[in-house]
């Protein structure tokens, strides 16, 4: 059974930093694209960042991808030895307040989301 | 960026009704579209991928179709569990984008 368990959310002041984690189990983590989405209170879904899985002869993943709204402030990474996805969030703004979802994509390089975590709430406020 | 225009934003219907939600892409996305259902306080759940493929475990009353850049989610006979918010998503190009959502309410 695929499970994705986010942690690390909480209250942070504007300009502060937070690191989210997502512990994955039930599938071969290294071979799938992983994604962070977010949803501001009462709003729709927003894609944040992708990191591809290992594929091909080289076994190396491509560079990560970011939404313009977080580029230069957020960094996605993964530790395939620990089946864990991360999102380092720096220079946080009020508008970053949202539930952040970790998600597994159907293939190594993307496609639809076949599994979602339960989400972790990040609140940016002074 | 590819814009996904979803309509209606709110839909009132009764148990047993057939309902249709539409999503129009601002440019060609081939069939790279998914539909998700989200209930309050919960993560989204995949219903349809590649425009018309039913995800495993999803009831057959849900179906998806496409015509050019217009995509449709149909629920053939609404059940009480179907009252939720529905989102379309394109995944052919970055940034990945969603429709604004359709809230399906009980009439």
């Amino acid at each position: 059974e695929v499970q994705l368990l986010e942690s690390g959310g909480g209250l942070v002041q504007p300009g502060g930093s937070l690191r989210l984690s997502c512990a994955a189990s039930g599938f071969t983590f290294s071979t799938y694209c992983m994604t962070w989405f977010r949803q501001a209170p009462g709003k729709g879904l927003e894609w944040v960042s992708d990191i591809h899985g290992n594929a091909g002869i080289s076994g190396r993943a491509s560079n990560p991808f970011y939404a313009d709204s977080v580029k230069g402030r957020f960094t996605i990474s993964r530790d395939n030895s620990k089946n864990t996805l991360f999102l380092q969030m720096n220079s946080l703004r009020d508008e970053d307040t949202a539930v952040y979802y970790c998600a597994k994509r159907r293939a190594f390089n993307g496609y639809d989301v076949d599994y979602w975590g339960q989400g972790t709430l990040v609140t940016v406020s002074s | 960026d590819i814009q996904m225009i979803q309509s209606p934003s709110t839909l009132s219907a009764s148990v047993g009704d057939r309902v249709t939600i539409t999503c129009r892409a601002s440019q060609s996305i081939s069939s790279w579209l998914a539909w998700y259902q989200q209930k309050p306080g919960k993560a989204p759940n995949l219903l349809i991928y590649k425009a018309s493929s039913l995800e495993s475990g999803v009831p057959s009353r849900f179906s998806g179709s496409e015509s050019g850049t217009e995509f449709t989610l149909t629920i053939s006979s609404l059940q009480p569990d179907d009252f939720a918010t529905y989102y379309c998503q394109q995944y052919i190009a970055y940034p990945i984008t969603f429709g604004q959502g359709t809230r399906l309410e009980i009439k």
Side-chain angles (χ1 to χ4, degrees):
Chain A
E1 179 192 5
V2 171
Q3 291 192 338
L4 301 169
L5 186 60
E6 301 98 334
S7 60
L11 175 63
V12 61
Q13 292 187 338
S17 298
L18 214 53
R19 189 192 197 203
L20 305 184
S21 300
C22 172
S25 61
F27 63 103
T28 307
F29 179 76
S30 63
T31 60
Y32 288 92
C33 177
M34 297 297 294
T35 302
W36 288 99
F37 294 97
R38 67 184 181 183
Q39 187 169 36
K43 302 297 184 182
L45 297 165
E46 179 186 13
W47 170 76
V48 173
S49 181
D50 266 10
I51 185 165
H52 286 184
N54 295 337
I57 298 174
S58 70
R60 290 179 296 178
S62 65
N63 290 334
F65 300 85
Y66 297 96
D68 285 346
S69 57
V70 307
K71 200 172 294 182
R73 301 187 298 123
F74 289 12
T75 301
I76 191 171
S77 62
R78 64 194 299 163
D79 184 340
N80 290 333
S81 69
K82 296 183 178 178
N83 292 346
T84 304
L85 177 72
F86 301 99
L87 186 68
Q88 177 66 44
M89 304 186 294
N90 299 331
S91 303
L92 282 161
R93 305 167 179 167
D94 289 352
E95 56 264 34
D96 295 319
T97 294
V99 173
Y100 284 74
Y101 293 103
C102 162
K104 171 191 171 293
R105 307 285 288 283
R106 190 178 295 276
F108 79 94
N109 60 346
Y111 292 80
D112 53 286
V113 176
D114 52 3
Y115 292 94
W116 298 74
Q118 85 289 348
T120 187
L121 176 62
V122 172
T123 303
V124 184
S125 175
S126 53
Chain B
D1 298 2
I2 299 174
Q3 292 188 345
M4 304 302 295
I5 309 301
Q6 190 173 337
S7 62
S9 55
T10 306
L11 180 58
S12 296
S14 302
V15 172
D17 284 353
R18 178 185 179 91
V19 300
T20 298
I21 299 169
T22 299
C23 198
R24 186 183 301 271
S26 60
Q27 63 189 75
S28 174
I29 60 170
S30 189
S31 299
W32 301 115
L33 181 117
W35 290 98
Y36 302 91
Q37 177 194 67
Q38 187 178 33
K39 296 182 179 178
K42 300 293 186 182
N45 182 53
L46 177 67
L47 301 174
I48 301 287
Y49 63 97
K50 210 161 183 296
S52 59
S53 296
L54 188 69
E55 175 67 351
S56 176
V58 174
S60 59
R61 63 181 178 272
F62 292 92
S63 64
S65 63
E66 64 177 297
S67 177
T69 59
E70 185 167 294
F71 299 83
T72 300
L73 173 70
T74 299
I75 310 173
S76 60
S77 178
L78 271 175
Q79 299 302 302
D81 191 49
D82 300 339
F83 292 95
T85 300
Y86 293 83
Y87 294 93
C88 62
Q89 176 209 41
Q90 67 80 17
Y91 50 94
I92 193 174
Y94 290 109
I96 294 163
T97 48
F98 290 88
Q100 77 275 22
T102 294
R103 184 181 174 193
L104 181 52
E105 301 180 329
I106 300 174
K107 185 183 287 184

